[in-house]
């Protein structure tokens, strides 16, 4: 059990390590109940901290013996691990510890998944494997020997020897302990091969359980594409002779970038047309790229301490987004990312869990792998690139890799390379790293005598611990359109640095229509009083695809808010405009599918809260349903035509073209289902030969209340495929009528295939409930109680996943006092659990505020 009285750690208290590690040798004698880990570590006093006490991290370890320079001794065990007196010069530490991987349900450290040994060390899991200075600024060269009876035994770097019952590995690149990995089990590989830009041959493997070999080809191609892309775009070459990926079923997150041995949640690497949707394929490609890109942004250059997490994560998310934009459609990727940013990061930034991209303190670092660190962190890189321009960005990155290769670096180091390359002062830009909260950007305009002016005002709201915030530099991409829809001048980047600032265009013959914040050039909430006519005009004419989509989104949002707040009927100008876009064959089908998307229930709740009203989850649901029904009726012919036109007849490919066609056809199917009661969806279900088509049809049928037979057939067909059965679990909850959702989720927790030991299955069931607002926020509180019951059950087994899922409650202050009371009662119930983990208690405490 972790420390019962959690204490915060502060960035300001950073101290360099007392000792550096020259090299480390580890021997693992694998055994499910009693694995022995023997370590031999060469320590050197850090010249920067002479005389500092020697302390090693360790958690849940049974120390068998310890030696200092060959002499057995007894260290003093402490809260964090151990300490002992050491010589004032280099020395060798040796120890043997015992751990029980089969008992490790937290999935951190060395654990077992389906009989296979695997590790997860980021952020602070290595200390559950052996005594070590488990901090990212201590980097060392690892040599590993694995002893056991597993047919395949892997670790980082290159294999150096193997034989009956053992395998040895050596990683020549110094790395922090969080990048250590070991995998051992009955695995089969899907091999691949890559020749680097300098002509070196690299052996590639995706390792899976027997039976999953057929689901590796796509991931392998994604890996090869990523390796090529990083050479071409960033000049980054791979640096070992071998690159291994392993798929693991029980995993707390998506994937992990361990040096030369990436470990993936099987849901983020295994793919086949029959079992994966187009969305799954796109996500898998992006995650493989993300982990691969970490080899330079994260591994070769790592983080000095965990406060600098965004240094590797924000940059790597930015890089994987660039990769996806190049592989697929840049506008579609940008729109998808902004939808996700608003849904997850804006939600976080505007609630009790708000924190800066570089936090100043934390209790449990696992709680800071957040949308803010990752997604807002990536937005900051994008803004920096916009501000300095593409050429300077490329120069700065080249300098970053050259100057900091092998370093454990900081955000200051990162910004310094941009300052050195451009001569710019980035002091004001740094506020984006230090202040939490989503800036509100208000804009008004005037036009007289050929002069057009945009007046901007920025304000960043208060967040926990941060009352007032000075203005930050905001890059605002703006275009001007004429009344006939022509571009008056190329997109310009306005650099706003003041609280209030105006920008002027002269000599215009007529009042232009501004297109503001093109490409979503800054992560802000833009507030602009405009009318439906102008939104419809921009939806029809804006040449910036993001703002074209955004105009439609604003139109839909405005109409929905009027329905909720004023009882208005569905907005005709939205219905007309969206129909025009849907029919416009000059537009990418994937874009049209996105344009037909509606704000989510949670988007609407956030928008209502922002406008000072209390959202009613059922009223939000009803308005969305009414609008969807009205739209289906208004677009009947269009939907039928789109559905027919976008049937893919070629063999399945998960590429942008085919998936765009399927996305549009399936959006049309949703409309058709509202009018034909599910006949077309049933035909699609019966004839589907890929998961995208099958799942879309099943969703439609479930929404129409006609899904019972298909749902049973789906289970019968896929019961032996864990990843598909995860979809079966979540789909039933997500597509349930809100009145039923809690009961559906509850009965699924009683299903024979439900297990809380598998995070994917737990999230597919209870995470799905939390993502169905009208059901989750039932007025009687049954949704809150069900989730809290299960979080309480999961916490002793897996604190990390429990804590992450507490964020379902982070929006509680938006709601009415009755719901607030129900939620806080559940939060108090969780907090009162004896022995509650540090992870969960930090989250619940922060959520309560
Ligand atoms: N560094 C990983 C990534 O973003 C994510 C990660 C951090 C992780 N901690 C983890 C993954 C714990 C699994 C478990 O790529
Ligand atoms: Zn990452």
């Amino acid at each position: 059990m972790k420390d019962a009285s959690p204490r915060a750690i502060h960035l300001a208290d950073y101290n360099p390590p007392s000792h550096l590690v020259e090299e480390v040798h580890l021997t693992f004698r694998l055994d499910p109940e009693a694995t022995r880990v023997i370590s031999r570590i060469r320590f050197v006093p850090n010249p920067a901290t002479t005389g500092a006490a020697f302390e090693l991290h360790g958690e849940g370890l049974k120390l068998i013996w310890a030696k200092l320079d060959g002499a057995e001794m007894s260290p003093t065990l402490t809260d964090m691990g151990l300490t002992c007196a050491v010589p004032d010069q280099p020395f060798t530490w040796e120890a043997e510890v015992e751990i029980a991987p089969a008992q490790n349900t937290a999935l951190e450290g060395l654990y077992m998944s389906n009989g296979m040994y695997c590790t997860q060390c980021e952020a602070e899991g290595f200390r559950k494997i052996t005594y070590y200075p488990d901090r990212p600024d201590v980097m060392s060269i690892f040599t590993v020997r694995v002893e056991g009876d597993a047919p395949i035994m892997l670790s980082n770097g290159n294999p150096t020897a193997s034989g009956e019952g053992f395998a040895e590995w050596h990683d020549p690149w110094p790395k922090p302990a969080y990048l250590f990995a070991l995998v051992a089990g009955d695995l089969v590989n899907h091999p691949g091969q890559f020749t680097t830009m300098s002509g070196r041959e690299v052996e590639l493997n995706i390792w899976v359980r027997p039976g999953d070999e057929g689901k590796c080809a796509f991931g392998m191609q994604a890996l090869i594409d990523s390796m090529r892309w990083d050479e071409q775009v960033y000049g980054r070459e791979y640096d070992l002779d071998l690159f291994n990926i392993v798929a693991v079923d029980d995993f707390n997150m998506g994937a992990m970038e361990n040096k030369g041995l990436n470990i993936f949640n099987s849901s983020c690497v295994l793919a086949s047309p029959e079992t994966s949707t187009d969305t799954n394929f796109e996500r898998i490609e992006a995650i493989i790229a993300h982990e691969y890109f970490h080899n330079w942004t994260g591994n070769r250059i790592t983080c000095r301490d965990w406060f600098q997490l965004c240094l590797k994560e924000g940059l790597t998310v930015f890089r994987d987004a660039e990769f996806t934009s190049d592989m697929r459609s840049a506008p579609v990727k940008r729109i998808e990312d902004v939808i996700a940013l608003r849904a997850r990061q804006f939600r976080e930034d505007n609630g009790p869990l708000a924190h800066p991209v570089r936090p100043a303190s934390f209790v449990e670092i696992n709680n800071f792998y957040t949308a803010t660190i990752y997604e807002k962190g990536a937005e900051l890189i994008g803004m920096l690139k916009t501000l300095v321009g593409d050429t300077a960005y490329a120069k700065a990155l080249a300098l970053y890799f050259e100057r900091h290769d092998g370093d454990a670096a900081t955000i200051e180091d990162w910004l310094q390379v941009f300052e050195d390359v451009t001569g710019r002062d980035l002091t004001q830009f740094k506020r984006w790293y230090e202040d939490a909260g989503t800036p509100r950007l208000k804009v008004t305009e005037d036009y007289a005598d050929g002069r057009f002016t945009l007046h901007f005002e920025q304000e960043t709201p208060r967040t926990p611990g941060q009352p007032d915030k000075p203005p930050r530099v905001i890059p605002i991409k703006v275009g001007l359109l004429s009344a006939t829809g022509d571009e008056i001048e190329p997109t310009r980047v306005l650099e706003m640095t003041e609280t209030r600032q105006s920008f002027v265009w002269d000599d215009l013959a007529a009042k232009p229509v501004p297109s503001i914040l093109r490409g979503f050039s800054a992560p802000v909430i833009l507030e602009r009083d405009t009318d439906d006519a102008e939104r419809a005009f921009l939806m029809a004419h804006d040449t910036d695809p993001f703002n074209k989509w955004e105009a439609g989104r604003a139109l839909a949002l405005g109409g929905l808010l009027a329905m909720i707040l004023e009882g208005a009927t569905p907005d005709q100008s939205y219905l007309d405009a969206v129909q025009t876009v849907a029919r416009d064959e000059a537009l990418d089908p994937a874009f049209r599918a996105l344009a037909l998307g509606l704000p989510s229930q949670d988007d609407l709740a956030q928008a209502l809260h922002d406008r000072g009203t209390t959202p009613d989850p059922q009223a939000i649901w009803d308005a969305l349903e009414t609008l969807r029904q009205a739209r289906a009726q208004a677009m009947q012919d269009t939907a039928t035509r789109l559905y027919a036109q976008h049937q893919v007849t070629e063999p399945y490919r998960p590429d942008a073209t085919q998936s765009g066609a399927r996305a549009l056809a399936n959006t049309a199917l949703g409309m058709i289902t509202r009018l034909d009661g599910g006949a077309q969806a049933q035909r699609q279900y019966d004839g589907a030969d890929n998961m995208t088509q099958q799942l879309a049809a099943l969703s439609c049928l479930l929404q129409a209340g006609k899904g019972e037979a298909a749902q049973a057939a789906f289970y019968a067909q896929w019961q032996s495929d864990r990843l598909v059965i995860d979809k079966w679990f979540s789909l039933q909850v997500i597509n349930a009528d809100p009145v039923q959702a809690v009961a559906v989720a509850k009965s699924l927790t009683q299903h024979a295939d439900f297990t809380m030991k598998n995070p994917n299955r737990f999230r597919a069931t209870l995470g799905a409930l939390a993502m169905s607002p009208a059901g989750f926020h039932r007025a009687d509180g049954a949704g809150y109680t069900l989730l809290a019951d299960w979080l309480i059950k999961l916490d002793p087994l897996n604190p990390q996943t429990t804590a992450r899922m507490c964020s379902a409650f982070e929006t509680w202050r938006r709601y009415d006092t009755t719901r607030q009371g129900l939620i806080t009662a559940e939060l108090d119930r969780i907090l009162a659990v004896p022995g509650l983990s540090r992870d969960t208690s930090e989250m619940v405490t922060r959520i309560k505020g």
Side-chain angles (χ1 to χ4, degrees):
M1 199 62 359
K2 286 182 176 173
D3 191 346
S5 55
R7 261 191 327 132
I9 302 164
H10 296 269
L11 167 61
D13 295 342
Y14 173 80
N15 278 313
S18 68
H19 290 76
L20 306 176
V21 175
E22 230 169 48
E23 52 172 355
V24 44
H25 290 253
L26 300 172
T27 299
F28 288 81
R29 301 206 170 117
L30 295 176
D31 181 283
E33 300 296 336
T35 289
R36 290 290 173 101
V37 185
I38 300 138
S39 58
R40 191 171 84 241
I41 309 170
R42 186 71 183 162
F43 283 103
V44 178
N46 184 354
T49 55
T50 33
F54 176 73
E55 285 183 289
L56 298 178
H57 295 104
E59 211 174 287
L61 306 171
K62 187 165 138 198
L63 181 63
I64 308 296
W65 52 257
K67 289 180 190 166
L68 211 76
D69 283 332
E72 205 152 327
M73 42 80 75
S74 302
T76 309
L77 300 186
T78 66
D79 271 358
M80 67 171 261
L82 58 73
T83 181
C84 63
V86 296
D88 212 358
Q89 58 194 31
F91 62 91
T92 300
W93 158 272
E94 290 166 279
E96 178 165 347
V97 301
E98 188 178 296
I99 51 180
Q103 303 304 321
N104 183 352
T105 55
L107 314 182
E108 193 185 50
L110 178 67
Y111 66 96
M112 300 198 75
S113 171
N114 296 317
M116 159 184 159
Y117 294 88
C118 89
T119 56
Q120 171 56 44
C121 293
E122 188 175 5
E124 298 180 334
F126 192 77
R127 62 190 63 184
K128 295 179 163 184
I129 292 176
T130 193
Y131 289 103
Y132 197 76
D134 186 10
R135 40 186 292 169
D137 56 355
V138 174
M139 300 169 83
S140 181
I141 293 174
F142 282 66
T143 304
V144 175
R145 178 180 164 91
V146 191
E147 297 175 7
D149 50 19
I152 300 297
M153 299 192 282
L154 310 171
S155 190
N156 315 86
N158 298 313
T160 48
S162 64
E164 190 54 36
F166 79 96
E168 290 180 4
W169 293 80
H170 177 76
D171 181 359
W173 296 103
K175 66 168 176 288
Y178 84 85
L179 292 172
F180 168 80
L182 179 154
V183 171
D186 183 10
L187 295 164
V188 288
N189 67 321
H190 177 106
Q193 212 258 325
F194 183 78
T195 309
T196 70
M197 59 205 252
S198 71
R200 275 189 316 98
E201 299 295 324
V202 182
E203 179 192 331
L204 314 174
N205 289 300
I206 298 182
W207 295 93
V208 297
R209 287 200 289 151
D212 285 335
E213 305 88 321
K215 293 183 174 182
C216 300
F218 178 80
M220 180 56 74
Q221 189 56 48
L223 174 60
I224 291 167
D225 291 340
S226 306
M227 295 178 88
R228 186 66 66 214
W229 187 92
D230 213 14
E231 292 184 343
Q232 288 171 347
V233 180
Y234 280 85
R236 298 299 101 201
E237 187 175 358
Y238 187 60
D239 54 4
L240 288 166
D241 304 331
L242 176 63
F243 189 82
N244 282 319
I245 286 177
V246 182
V248 176
D249 283 333
D250 301 293
F251 205 67
N252 279 335
M253 306 246 253
M256 180 63 212
E257 70 265 24
N258 317 300
K259 183 81 186 190
L261 180 54
N262 288 359
I263 299 181
F264 277 62
N265 186 322
S266 52
S267 72
C268 297
V269 56
L270 300 181
S272 78
E274 296 72 33
T275 59
S276 313
T277 63
D278 291 330
T279 312
N280 295 151
F281 277 101
E282 181 177 331
R283 180 149 184 269
I284 287 166
E285 183 178 77
I287 296 179
I288 288 187
H290 179 96
E291 305 313 330
Y292 175 73
F293 296 160
H294 268 315
N295 191 54
W296 275 95
T297 50
N299 302 2
R300 287 286 287 262
I301 305 179
T302 193
C303 302
R304 186 191 72 174
D305 53 69
W306 293 117
F307 297 102
Q308 321 295 329
L309 183 56
C310 67
L311 179 75
K312 73 178 178 80
E313 295 304 347
L315 178 54
T316 305
V317 171
F318 181 73
R319 276 153 47 71
D320 83 56
E322 292 183 297
F323 168 76
T324 299
S325 303
D326 286 353
M327 296 290 292
R328 293 167 179 261
S329 153
V332 166
K333 172 64 174 165
R334 187 62 186 146
I335 294 164
E336 289 170 350
D337 281 352
V338 174
I339 292 171
L341 184 80
R342 286 176 173 157
R344 300 177 51 229
Q345 201 279 321
F346 281 22
R347 168 182 156 121
E348 182 169 80
D349 225 356
N350 290 281
L353 297 177
H355 57 275
V357 171
R358 185 173 68 176
S361 73
F362 60 75
V363 171
E364 170 52 61
I365 184 56
N366 281 329
N367 288 337
F368 283 83
Y369 287 77
T370 60
T372 297
I373 308 283
Y374 277 65
E375 273 76 39
K376 188 174 180 180
E379 292 298 317
L380 304 200
I381 313 281
M383 282 195 286
L384 203 47
K385 187 173 182 187
T386 300
L387 287 168
V388 304
D390 294 357
T391 311
Y393 175 80
K395 276 193 198 151
L397 268 284
L399 180 60
Y400 178 63
F401 292 123
E402 184 194 312
R403 186 184 285 174
H404 292 294
D405 187 9
D407 287 353
T410 61
I411 289 303
E412 282 73 18
D413 295 330
W414 163 255
L415 291 175
Q416 188 66 49
V417 299
F418 280 84
E419 294 197 331
D420 291 352
V421 160
T422 62
R424 262 181 104 105
D425 177 357
L426 292 173
T427 312
Q428 194 190 17
F429 185 79
K430 201 174 173 199
R431 286 178 188 156
W432 280 106
Y433 284 96
E434 290 171 340
D435 290 349
T438 311
R440 306 302 196 267
L441 185 61
K442 281 202 192 90
V443 55
T444 55
E445 60 191 74
D446 58 55
Y447 175 78
D449 307 323
R451 165 170 285 203
F452 180 69
T453 311
L454 287 176
H455 306 281
F456 290 94
E457 185 177 342
Q458 63 164 296
E459 195 210 331
T460 305
R462 55 182 304 142
T463 47
Q466 293 187 323
D468 7 83
K469 293 158 197 183
R472 59 224 54 246
V473 54
I474 303 179
I476 310 167
K477 285 192 187 169
V478 173
L480 298 184
L481 298 167
S482 74
T484 51
D486 297 318
E487 287 270 320
I488 294 176
E489 58 151 41
T491 302
R492 196 203 287 188
V493 181
L494 310 178
E495 263 183 48
M496 183 183 191
T497 55
E498 311 287 326
T499 300
R500 271 174 219 85
Q501 212 167 334
S502 299
F503 298 87
V504 172
W505 287 258
D506 274 317
D507 305 320
L508 298 178
K511 182 175 181 301
V513 180
S515 165
I516 302 167
L517 207 67
R518 286 187 152 180
F520 203 66
S521 59
V524 301
I525 293 173
L526 184 66
E527 294 172 5
R528 174 156 186 255
D529 276 324
T530 177
D531 54 17
D532 282 2
E534 186 175 297
R535 287 175 180 146
F537 173 88
L538 287 169
M539 194 177 179
H541 297 293
D542 205 321
T543 52
D544 179 70
F546 176 79
N547 267 5
K548 187 180 178 73
W549 172 84
E550 179 81 324
R553 168 67 38 131
L555 210 49
L557 183 69
L560 283 160
L561 292 177
M563 290 169 77
I564 294 162
L565 294 171
E566 296 147 31
T569 53
D571 181 12
Q572 196 57 45
S573 57
Y574 167 72
L575 294 174
D576 293 342
V578 81
Q579 174 138 249
T580 306
V581 167
R583 283 177 170 165
D584 184 347
E585 294 186 6
L587 296 171
D588 178 2
F591 176 87
R592 285 187 270 163
L594 286 167
L596 284 162
L598 287 170
S600 69
Q601 296 174 62
D602 202 63
D603 289 338
L604 285 161
Q606 196 168 298
L608 287 163
H609 178 70
D610 256 8
R611 284 162 181 72
T613 57
T614 303
D616 172 354
Q618 189 61 42
I620 291 172
W621 168 266
D622 292 342
L624 278 164
E625 277 298 289
T626 305
L627 180 60
R628 286 202 187 99
Q629 193 62 34
R631 195 173 69 170
Q633 257 135 18
M635 288 182 63
Q636 183 161 11
D637 295 342
T638 304
T640 309
R641 182 140 50 92
L642 289 177
Y643 185 74
Q645 271 175 348
H646 293 89
Q647 291 305 307
V648 176
T649 51
E650 292 158 40
Y652 180 91
R653 277 182 282 117
D655 62 13
T657 309
Q658 276 200 9
S659 57
R662 278 187 289 270
L664 186 53
N666 285 329
T667 305
L669 182 63
M671 295 192 247
I672 292 167
T673 304
R674 288 177 181 274
L675 304 173
D676 79 352
Q680 187 68 55
Q682 188 66 53
R683 279 195 291 279
Q684 175 166 320
Y685 186 85
D686 294 337
D689 65 354
N690 64 73
M691 185 50 67
T692 307
Q693 295 299 86
Q694 197 179 9
L695 211 64
L698 179 56
S699 299
C700 286
L701 289 168
L702 287 167
Q703 282 164 25
K706 302 276 174 64
E708 228 170 292
Q711 180 187 310
F714 189 93
Y715 181 80
Q717 183 183 355
W718 295 114
Q719 66 191 117
S720 62
D721 189 309
R722 294 177 87 170
L723 297 175
V724 180
I725 293 303
D726 286 335
K727 299 184 201 305
W728 183 81
F729 271 78
S730 65
L731 215 63
Q732 292 178 62
V733 180
I734 284 169
N735 292 303
D737 185 285
V739 186
Q740 301 297 330
V742 173
V744 170
K746 192 170 198 162
S747 76
L748 284 170
T749 61
Q750 278 140 27
H751 192 280
D753 292 343
F754 179 79
T755 163
M756 60 172 168
K757 290 200 175 162
N758 179 261
N760 291 359
R761 188 62 48 89
F762 192 88
R763 283 187 288 255
T765 313
L766 294 144
L769 177 63
M771 285 181 321
S772 311
F776 179 57
H777 291 285
R778 271 174 76 103
D780 64 2
Y784 310 144
T785 303
L786 182 66
L787 181 63
D789 283 348
W790 280 99
L791 294 176
I792 289 169
K793 283 185 217 178
L794 185 64
D795 189 63
L797 298 177
N798 187 336
Q800 206 176 318
T801 291
T802 308
R804 290 183 79 75
M805 290 185 60
C806 289
S807 61
F809 292 120
E810 78 184 310
T811 56
W812 68 278
R813 278 188 199 279
R814 283 181 192 160
Y815 294 99
D816 52 88
T817 50
T818 310
R819 285 188 174 88
Q820 289 193 3
L822 291 165
I823 297 177
T824 46
E826 297 300 340
L827 294 173
D828 288 335
R829 184 158 71 94
I830 296 171
L831 273 183
V833 170
L836 190 72
S837 69
R838 177 172 61 196
D839 309 55
T840 302
S841 91
E842 181 192 19
M843 287 295 275
V844 175
T845 308
R846 282 167 59 212
I847 289 169
K848 281 189 66 186

